[in-house]
Amino acid sequence: MGMSVGSAGGRNARRRGRRGSRSGLISEINVTPFVDVMLVLLIIFMVAAPLLTVGVPIDLPETQAKALNSETQPITVSVNSDGQIYLQETEVPIEEVVAKLQAIARSGYDERIYVRGDRAADYGTVMRVMARISAAGYRNLGLVTLQEEGN
């Protein structure tokens, strides 16, 4: 009798133990879905990043200068090989460049302005654009080039 009572109690104890573990909270973090989402976001940003650059087709000259770090979207003035002038992606006549810059410059005359000149563009046109911007009071001008390959 002692034997049968002990074994019956053991079975009930085992059953209670199983039920208790099933209803308990799982304290492990499943990282797999998180990693899947992060990989998908990485791929999306890798594909979208090249599409966020300025859309004026310019064949930039190459130099050995290092790339600049920029936190905000820079103001760019581009001169293509035909001598057309673009502010960001909008074509503007040379007479209106300064007025448009004053309208969009967030930090006034301290705003950094990048001038992109096509390799085949007339040097005089690029210099006239830079002279007008400088004469308007903007002192923070930069020329955009590509880094030379192999360095």
Side-chain angles (χ1 to χ4, degrees), residues 32 54 81 92:
T32 306
V54 177
S81 58
V92 294

Side-chain angles (χ1 to χ4, degrees), residues 87-101:
L87 182 57
Q88 301 296 75
E89 295 181 17
T90 308
E91 184 178 358
V92 294
I94 193 166
E95 298 83 22
E96 295 180 16
V97 170
V98 173
K100 300 274 186 183
L101 280 175

Side-chain angles (χ1 to χ4, degrees), residues 132-148:
R132 282 184 183 258
I133 295 170
S134 180
Y138 293 95
R139 299 285 181 239
N140 204 356
L141 294 175
L143 289 172
V144 179
T145 61
L146 296 177
Q147 288 186 353
E148 285 183 341

Side-chain angles (χ1 to χ4, degrees), residues 47 56 135:
V47 169
V56 180

Side-chain angles (χ1 to χ4, degrees), residues 79-80 117-130 143:
V79 180
N80 68 7
D118 193 285
R119 185 182 312 216
D122 180 41
Y123 181 76
T125 304
V126 176
M127 289 300 106
R128 275 195 302 277
V129 169
M130 290 183 67
L143 289 172

